[in-house]
Amino acid sequence: MTAGWEDLIARESRRPSFVDLTAFVTAERTRGPVHPSDDRVLAALGAVPPGAVKVVIVGQDPYHGPDQAHGLAFSVPRGTPAPPSLRNILRELRDDTGVDRTGHGDLSGWAREGVLLLNRVLTVREGEPNSHAGRGWEAFTDAVIAALDSRPRRIVFLLWGVQARAVARLVTAPHHVVLEAAHPSPLSAHRGFLGSRPFSRADAALAEHGIEPVDWGAGYEP
C-alpha cells in the first residue's frame, strides 16, 4: 500500500511522539467516528511512490463529515457532494486550464499522475475540524515533505492556507518550486486563491525541467 515509503514510515513510527499519536487516535476511535477509516489514513502515500511525485498539494486536515474523507487531501469519494473548498479548487482548475471536473470531486486520477494529495494532519474527529492538530501528525508529514525535498527531480509544492504554508521552510533544494496561495475555503478563496493559476504554473515549472506536465483531467468521468 505504501511502496517506496516503507523506510520513512518505519523510522517515524518508532518515535515516541508517533507511539503517543497512535494511542491517541486509537482511543479517539473508541469514543466516536474518526475520519478517514483506519485503512485509508496513509492512502495519499499509497497512491504515489516517492519517485513518482511531480506535484504536492498540501491541505490542513481531512474533511470531518461522514463519507467525505478517503485519505487524499481535498478529494471526496465519487458520489459524495464536493465540499466548498473543493468546489473552489475545481472552479480555479476550470478557469486556469479549461479542464472541467465539476461533476464530482474524486481526485484519485491526480494521484495516478504523480500528484501527492497530503494533509498536514491525517485524521479528524467527526464534526470537529482540526481536532487532531498538535497531536503528532505534523511531525510525520513534515518528514514526508523533507524526504521529498531530497529527491533529485523537480517537485512543485502547492501550499494553500496558513497550515500548508508552514511547510515551506522544509523545501530547501533550489531545483524545487514552492507556489503559495490562500486556502480555497470560501472564507479566504477570494483573498489570493482564486486567480492564482496554480495548475498551469505547476505545469510550466515541470516543463522547465523536461518533466511531463500533469494531466489534470486524468481519471475523470462524470
Side-chain angles (χ1 to χ4, degrees):
M1 287 292 291
T2 51
W5 297 103
E6 296 93 341
D7 289 348
L8 181 146
I9 293 170
R11 181 181 70 248
E12 295 302 313
S13 65
R14 290 193 293 268
R15 298 187 188 278
S17 60
F18 193 90
V19 174
D20 292 343
L21 168 66
T22 301
F24 167 75
V25 174
T26 299
E28 286 281 275
R29 290 192 188 279
T30 67
R31 298 187 183 104
V34 168
H35 303 297
S37 59
D38 195 51
D39 63 322
R40 298 295 301 175
V41 170
L42 297 181
L45 301 185
V48 192
V53 175
K54 295 179 179 179
V55 175
V56 183
I57 296 178
V58 181
Q60 177 177 288
D61 63 343
Y63 295 125
H64 55 87
D67 304 318
Q68 290 183 317
H70 66 147
L72 306 179
F74 294 111
S75 180
V76 293
R78 189 180 292 246
T80 298
S85 293
L86 178 54
R87 290 201 298 270
N88 281 332
I89 291 169
L90 298 180
R91 171 184 170 183
E92 179 63 19
L93 174 70
R94 183 188 59 210
D95 292 348
D96 182 15
T97 68
V99 174
D100 189 346
R101 300 186 66 117
T102 54
H104 66 77
D106 184 353
L107 305 180
S108 300
W110 288 3
R112 291 191 288 274
E113 282 288 299
V115 179
L116 179 63
L117 297 159
L118 183 71
N119 280 313
R120 279 293 318 275
V121 173
L122 300 185
T123 56
V124 67
R125 192 180 306 134
E126 184 170 294
E128 298 184 41
N130 227 22
S131 51
H132 287 187
R135 293 289 184 165
W137 279 126
E138 293 90 345
F140 177 81
T141 52
D142 281 2
V144 172
I145 298 295
L148 292 172
D149 182 57
S150 71
R151 303 296 303 182
R153 187 175 75 158
R154 168 167 283 185
I155 295 173
V156 181
F157 294 83
L158 301 182
L159 309 182
W160 299 335
V162 174
Q163 297 264 1
R165 294 166 85 168
V167 308
R169 73 191 191 284
L170 302 171
V171 184
T172 60
H175 57 281
H176 298 317
V177 173
V178 175
L179 300 177
E180 300 184 39
H183 194 276
S185 160
L187 297 175
S188 56
H190 291 278
R191 298 201 298 266
F193 177 76
L194 295 175
S196 64
R197 303 181 62 239
F199 307 102
S200 61
R201 291 169 68 198
D203 280 347
L206 294 173
E208 286 176 355
H209 277 223
I211 301 170
E212 189 74 19
V214 173
D215 177 1
W216 298 104
Y220 179 76
E221 295 176 1

